[in-house]
Amino acid sequence: MRTQIVAGNWKMNCNLDESLHLLNALKLKDFSKADVEVVIAPPFTNLYPIHQNLNDSSIKISAQNINENEEGAYTGEISPDMLKSVGVEYVIIGHSERRAIYNESDELLAKKVTAALKHDFKIMFCIGEMLDQRKADKHFDVVKEQLEKGLFHLSASEMKQVVIAYEPVWAIGTGETASPEQAQDIHQYIRQVLAEQYNQDVADQTSILYGGSVKPNNAREIFAKKDVDGGLIGGASLDADSFAEIVMSF
Ligand code: PGA
């Protein structure tokens, strides 16, 4: 049985007070009824205070990015060891905003993946096509290439640390979502690519999340699809009620 995961990507939202407020609201929710790993990805500055305030909550903490180097003269960057030292378990790598706005290439992302694994993080690796690529029917080729270049240097056992988040760029923050059928088609394809590259066991064990305008009113339908193992949630994760409703959609 694959792990079902709902992860909230807070992006560059919430100062310290707001982050703690949101955390406290989430801690009041009873996630124990859903068979789901709940993950939140606050901004770097709030990771440690959030960790300190988790108490006995089962919520896991993710960083939104990681640097590929161990330490040194990389002004403004955050190393794997720094993240480890403040209680981070997951890292998001390759979010489309990092790829598009900060020009993070497949080659760089592959290095970040290696660095994160060396420090034993679980990885949420994001892939997904842009609107023109979808219109040109290139989405299958695009995600395959992103997988090959970003992840396929890993061994089968290393892949067990990786969660894939399929996020069509045209659906992120736009209010538009892939239909449950579109999500299922591409998730199934991703699983097939994993089976071809590794083996059926890796394909069956890898959690594949959908991201892109998941809201309380569409989560249930999307999560019901066979190859969708959860979601990476942006906007709706900033509201505790909405996020909890999405978690409980399983
Ligand atoms: P969204 O963001 O839910 O606001 O579309 C998803 C994401 O970027 O991970």
Side-chain angles (χ1 to χ4, degrees):
M1 180 66 183
R2 292 187 285 273
T3 311
Q4 305 188 116
I5 300 169
V6 173
N9 176 10
W10 296 5
K11 308 193 181 186
M12 199 175 76
N13 296 293
C14 297
N15 65 20
L16 180 55
D17 280 350
E18 290 160 346
S19 286
L20 292 175
H21 189 76
L22 182 49
L23 175 69
N24 286 332
L26 290 173
K27 276 165 43 179
L28 295 175
K29 307 286 179 191
D30 180 11
F31 293 131
S32 65
K33 284 192 230 99
D35 181 20
V36 180
E37 179 138 299
V38 178
V39 182
I40 53 173
F44 283 136
T45 50
N46 303 338
L47 291 169
Y48 186 59
I50 292 254
H51 174 67
Q52 292 297 91
N53 282 278
L54 270 182
N55 307 108
D56 54 1
S57 165
S58 59
I59 297 171
K60 309 271 192 269
I61 307 177
S62 175
Q64 299 173 16
N65 186 20
I66 189 169
N67 189 274
E68 68 283 11
N69 298 292
E70 288 294 315
E71 62 182 355
Y74 303 100
T75 301
E77 289 294 307
I78 306 288
S79 75
D81 182 50
M82 292 170 190
L83 297 176
K84 254 284 117 98
S85 70
V86 296
V88 169
E89 271 184 62
Y90 279 88
V91 289
I92 298 173
I93 296 179
H95 190 279
S96 65
E97 287 150 18
R98 301 292 322 168
R99 292 177 188 261
I101 306 171
Y102 301 101
N103 296 316
E104 294 196 356
S105 65
D106 292 310
E107 293 68 30
L108 174 66
L109 298 176
K111 287 185 191 161
K112 291 187 177 213
V113 165
T114 300
L117 278 183
K118 190 169 165 213
H119 289 263
D120 234 2
F121 289 104
K122 292 184 194 152
I123 294 168
M124 285 187 271
F125 189 77
C126 303
I127 56 175
E129 80 285 357
M130 293 191 279
L131 185 57
D132 56 328
Q133 295 168 324
R134 164 71 61 166
K135 283 187 174 156
D137 221 16
K138 293 245 162 38
H139 44 295
F140 291 107
D141 297 340
V142 169
V143 298
K144 186 173 189 197
E145 190 177 334
Q146 289 171 332
L147 289 170
E148 284 170 350
K149 292 188 168 164
L151 286 182
F152 285 177
H153 60 293
L154 301 182
S155 67
S157 73
E158 288 171 327
M159 269 304 287
K160 300 217 158 103
Q161 293 288 102
V162 177
V163 171
I164 292 169
Y166 167 67
E167 302 201 292
V169 179
W170 47 273
I172 295 179
T174 58
E176 221 175 294
T177 56
S179 69
E181 292 69 30
Q182 285 174 321
Q184 168 57 24
D185 279 355
I186 200 142
H187 281 228
Q188 186 174 15
Y189 175 72
I190 292 165
R191 214 175 289 292
Q192 178 194 321
V193 172
L194 291 175
E196 285 161 11
Q197 174 69 21
Y198 295 99
N199 53 53
Q200 197 58 46
D201 184 45
V202 169
D204 290 341
Q205 294 299 318
T206 303
S207 301
I208 307 177
L209 315 184
Y210 170 79
S213 297
V214 177
K215 308 285 178 206
N217 64 6
N218 59 24
R220 191 175 296 274
E221 260 192 311
I222 297 172
F223 294 169
K225 290 294 175 191
K226 181 166 140 285
D227 288 293
V228 178
D229 306 308
L232 183 53
I233 321 297
S237 73
L238 297 172
D239 178 83
D241 291 337
S242 297
F243 187 63
E245 232 182 287
I246 292 170
V247 172
M248 300 313 285
S249 300
F250 271 105

